[in-house]
Amino acid sequence: METLTTPNYLKQNFDYWQSEYATKHPDTNLVKLFHHIIKNEIDMNGRPLKVLDYGCSNGTNAKFFADMGMEAFGVDINRLAIAKASKDAAKWPMGSSLNFVSISPEVDEKDLFFQGDFDIILSWHTLCYFSDTDQHARLLSLRNNLRPGGLFIATMISKETHSYRISKPAEDGLRLMPIVERLKDLHGKEHFANHCGDASDVIRRLSMFEPMHLGHVNECFSVTNGENLHFWIFVGKKK
Ligand SMILES: C[S@@+](CC[C@H](N)C(=O)[O-])C[C@H]1O[C@@H](n2cnc3c(N)ncnc32)[C@H](O)[C@@H]1O
């Protein structure tokens, strides 16, 4: 099959993501992960932990961490979502511990977010929007933003996902994702995504972190539609 070239995939993905979201709740899988795994790996009784949500959208997952008593920060390329997150943060009871900023889609290994030095960095359903080269650089930058011993939590979308099967191969690990009828009012454009293989592929991509836990989820809300989302959940530590 022909491999598509992707000279401007970051711009195309940027345009794809400029939509308004009404989501009000943190991701259920993240909440469960926190209670089953994360809270046993951190000290919740000391000083407030500093957490970054990279790809935070309108901030619901960051707000969950703030709710758990942490100083939460979020960054995203979606300007509308960041505006909404910031507006909601102003009404937050612990307003000063919740901060959001919009960023450019480009990746620089030297990027520093909110002065770095994070205890926890989360990137939930976001790292798949980078080519292999940019994903590696972004992961190194996130590692640089962590304190030694800090936790890195990420999901990696897998090739067992429905959208992988209907996409077309493109350069540098990317696939061209077609417009989905069900989502076309929210996302009326094509975009690019990068799917992981098996567990060893996840560990290889995230080898700048010491692996602690690797899990996976296969979400399917309608067998009739035939859509599923299979993703890996990685929890690691800065070496
Ligand atoms: C599937 S949504 C997940 C949002 C949120 N993490 C959640 O779980 O609800 C993917 C997010 O990644 C963001 N994103 C895509 N490309 C990005 C980039 N280059 N840098 C930062 N964020 C990006 C999108 O704007 C979007 O908010």
Side-chain angles (χ1 to χ4, degrees):
M1 193 186 277
E2 186 201 350
T3 299
L4 302 161
T5 54
T6 56
N8 223 348
Y9 89 90
L10 283 174
K11 165 81 174 80
Q12 202 163 327
N13 280 0
F14 176 87
D15 291 343
Y16 173 86
W17 284 111
Q18 303 309 307
S19 329
E20 209 151 342
Y21 289 91
T23 329
K24 288 199 173 79
H25 306 288
D27 189 308
T28 315
N29 290 307
L30 175 64
V31 176
K32 287 184 181 170
L33 179 75
F34 183 84
H35 290 293
H36 287 292
I37 304 283
I38 308 297
K39 74 177 183 198
N40 302 322
E41 302 289 358
I42 54 178
D43 178 7
M44 304 262 292
N45 300 314
R47 61 169 172 78
L49 299 177
K50 185 178 173 187
V51 55
L52 173 69
D53 183 1
Y54 180 83
C56 64
S57 189
N58 61 357
T60 50
N61 292 339
K63 281 177 203 145
F64 168 70
F65 281 100
D67 220 7
M68 295 296 109
M70 302 185 196
E71 288 177 3
F73 299 80
V75 295
D76 202 289
I77 57 168
N78 182 337
R79 307 274 160 86
L80 296 166
I82 289 292
K84 182 170 191 312
S86 302
K87 199 170 158 209
D88 293 348
K91 292 183 252 155
W92 194 249
M94 295 174 286
S96 61
S97 65
L98 197 49
N99 294 278
F100 297 97
V101 74
S102 63
I103 56 167
S104 111
E106 273 78 35
V107 180
D108 185 337
E109 202 182 309
K110 295 193 204 69
D111 283 333
L112 194 63
F113 303 110
F114 298 102
Q115 282 79 52
D117 219 20
F118 285 95
D119 298 290
I120 302 175
I121 295 183
L122 170 77
S123 192
W124 200 258
H125 297 341
T126 297
L127 292 165
C128 56
Y129 301 109
F130 291 111
S131 66
D132 286 344
T133 308
D134 289 339
Q135 187 183 75
H136 184 68
R138 177 49 78 222
L139 284 165
L140 291 176
S141 80
L142 294 178
R143 183 185 183 279
N144 291 341
N145 278 271
L146 269 181
R147 294 200 166 133
L151 281 194
F152 182 69
I153 307 163
T155 59
M156 304 292 273
I157 306 300
S158 103
K159 290 181 180 167
E160 302 297 317
T161 293
H162 164 76
S163 62
Y164 177 81
R165 300 189 281 275
I166 56 166
S167 60
K168 291 192 192 134
E171 288 176 323
D172 203 4
L174 292 167
R175 314 261 313 173
L176 179 66
M177 313 303 293
I179 298 167
V180 174
E181 185 62 28
R182 185 174 59 79
L183 297 173
K184 79 174 187 323
D185 291 343
L186 194 60
H187 297 296
K189 297 183 170 81
E190 293 176 322
H191 71 293
F192 289 91
N194 185 340
H195 300 71
C196 259
D198 59 9
S200 63
D201 186 30
V202 180
I203 300 294
R204 181 189 59 77
R205 288 175 191 243
L206 298 171
S207 58
M208 59 293 286
F209 303 101
E210 189 184 317
M212 297 165 76
H213 304 275
L214 184 64
H216 66 107
V217 173
N218 195 356
E219 284 180 346
C220 179
F221 299 109
S222 167
V223 175
T224 325
N225 281 354
E227 285 182 29
N228 77 310
L229 175 65
H230 181 256
F231 56 94
W232 295 102
I233 302 179
F234 174 90
V235 179
K237 198 178 263 195
K238 180 169 177 173
K239 291 176 193 163

